[in-house]
Amino acid sequence: GMAGDGGANDGGTVGAVAVDAAGRTAAATSTGGIVGKRRGRVGDTPIVGAGTWAEPDLALSATGDGEAILRVTLTRQIGWRAGEAGLGRSMAAALADLDLLTGGTAGVIGVDRAGACWAATTTPTMAIAWAAAGVVRAKVLTAAAGAARCDG
């Protein structure tokens, strides 16, 4: 799971990605939204391929500038790239594109069917937690860390 960077507009995004013993993946994202949003605004969280994405080989959840995430369909882009580049490189490339194309910031967490957990952020910080073999761990990522294994 993950949490936003705690900024003034942070509505408290929580994302979860999972893989079971059979290698089936799933993703979920929940958000409190942003302060002062326009009436009727729909952010990235409920849009498959923007804030959340799962397919047979991986699952992803994102947080950050919703409009920017929507414009580049962030999690879908990572998923499409992961087959060739791997999850970590795909996250880094998609977040670089997000910045280049929109100037937006985001963070993402993902897991592949083998259970490898990756995370990356372009926000100042992003808290993540993961569990494996009954052990729960947590840490805070920074933008300077780039895409990294959760347990690295």
Side-chain angles (χ1 to χ4, degrees), residues 102-116:
T102 70
T105 59
V108 64
I109 190 167
V111 66
D112 66 23
R113 69 179 324 146

Side-chain angles (χ1 to χ4, degrees), residues 22-124:
R24 294 177 294 232
T25 64
T29 310
S30 176
T31 185
I34 60 171
V35 176
K37 68 182 177 182
R38 292 181 316 278
R39 183 182 176 110
R41 176 191 178 269
V42 175
D44 62 295
T45 299
I47 307 300
V48 174
T52 308
W53 183 258
E55 58 186 69
D57 293 327
L58 56 86
L60 298 152
S61 180
T63 185
D65 295 332
E67 281 72 8
I69 291 170
L70 278 163
R71 285 182 58 200
V72 300
T73 58
L74 182 63
T75 57
R76 179 186 65 104
Q77 289 292 338
I78 295 167
W80 281 1
R81 293 173 175 184
E84 293 180 13
L87 202 45
R89 286 186 182 161
S90 297
M91 285 180 179
L95 287 170
D97 284 351
L98 177 88
D99 178 51
L100 178 69
L101 297 171
T102 70
T105 59
V108 64
I109 190 167
V111 66
D112 66 23
R113 69 179 324 146
C117 177
W118 286 82
T121 188
T122 58
T123 62

